Amino acid sequence: MKNNLALRGGSYSLVITAVVLAILIVFNLFVSVLPSTWTKLDISSSQLYSVTSNTKVVVNNLEQDVTIYWIVQADKEDDILENLLAKYESLSDHITVVKKNPDTYPTFTEQYTDEDVPNNSLIVECGDRSRYISNSDIYEYEIDYYTYQAYAESFDGEGAITSAIDYVVSEDLPQLYLLEGHGEGDLPETFADQIEKANMETQSFSLLTVEAVPDEADCVLIYAPASDISTDEAEKLADYVAGGGKLMVVSGPLEDGGLTNLNTLLERYGVTVNEGIVVENDSDHFFYGYPYLLLPEINSADITDSLIAEKYNVLMSVAAGLTVSGESSAGTVTALLTTSDSAFSKTAGYNLTTYEKEEGDIDGPFALAVSIEDDSGGSLIWFSSSDFLEEQVNAYSSGANCDLAMNALSAMIGESEAITIRSKSLNYNYLTISDSTSSLLKVLMVGVIPLAFLGVGVCVVLQKRRRQNESV
């Protein structure tokens, strides 16, 4: 009798154990076939393993099949890139990722690019259109001046891939017309790269050779003019905006002369460009002890909210002060960037000899950037510093200046989903352990801990049997 009860108890325990193990095995098999997007959580501070809402908008609107060729040798796949590509595939049935091993297909990339293609590069293709993305465009590198070695500082895979997808599925790309003929500056490299990345095609034109802004222009950009436009050009630009056109101006104080005719574009909306250079008297609103390197308040608007949310600062160098009267029947004016109340404009301009306020200087506060919506549906965005997008100034702002300008362009041409996708920082700390510690952890996790649980289970079963025998 005792033996039967013991046998029955032991059999019951074995059956329960087998059932639990079977459930665990089935559960693990089920989880293993789920998409990685359901089973992995991104807890990185820069959301390195996630995609933005901008990418989701582009991908979810796909109506054509897109193939992403991943050029990589066997066992040399980049883990971050692999995770990102899996995200794209999971977001749309129209996206397929295909690995191409250059050792197996040595001439495959020649039909897309003449460049040498490093490992973990991509080619995005849809129909007859394609774009090559080098690995050097996916990772942004910095130089360690102690070792003179380059290291990857940030990951721009999402921005590059989403831009490429948008490019290959778009038949008509936005046209950005650059005004010339007044000593306009060349677009800074970073800004020009961002325009290309946003799939905007640029071409220069002169208002002296045309009767009006070409109809093909989705937006006109006037960048850092060194001299004034003519009254005739000003009238053409005013008519362009009043007729529903989009105009962006990046223009600050000049060393010699003024921009009287250009500034009339603002005057019809009740905005005045003040003489001189703005100087801040509030130390919280200027940069590193230079009162003319301004850190303005960023006011809420569609093109600024992303910068506000991420707590970025915009830097305006050598800027003119804009006064918004609020009295305009032609359109609505929004101040995007504003100084503190203690700011003033030095009317001496580039000839200033002191940052102290002197007689004749103009009291602030001022706007340093404005967005104007004309009643016709046209728009004008004005930044009052010609240095606003220069490489060093943009670098001091951690790229926020360029992001703001790109947000402005994207909003004006109607590409709201093209609001800048920032690269993601790779400045995270690794947990580094020695080989001996690694071996110890493996023994503990694979051997000791499972055996300990097994031993506890055996003890429980033996104790239960003993109690059953004693009760009988």
Side-chain angles (χ1 to χ4, degrees), residues 12-23:
Y12 177 77
S13 298
L14 288 174
V15 170
I16 293 299
T17 301
V19 169
V20 170
L21 288 174
I23 292 174

Side-chain angles (χ1 to χ4, degrees), residues 80-93:
I80 299 176
L81 184 58
E82 182 173 28
N83 178 79
L84 179 62
L85 292 174
K87 294 282 187 185
Y88 278 91
E89 274 196 304
S90 67
L91 287 173
S92 175
D93 293 335

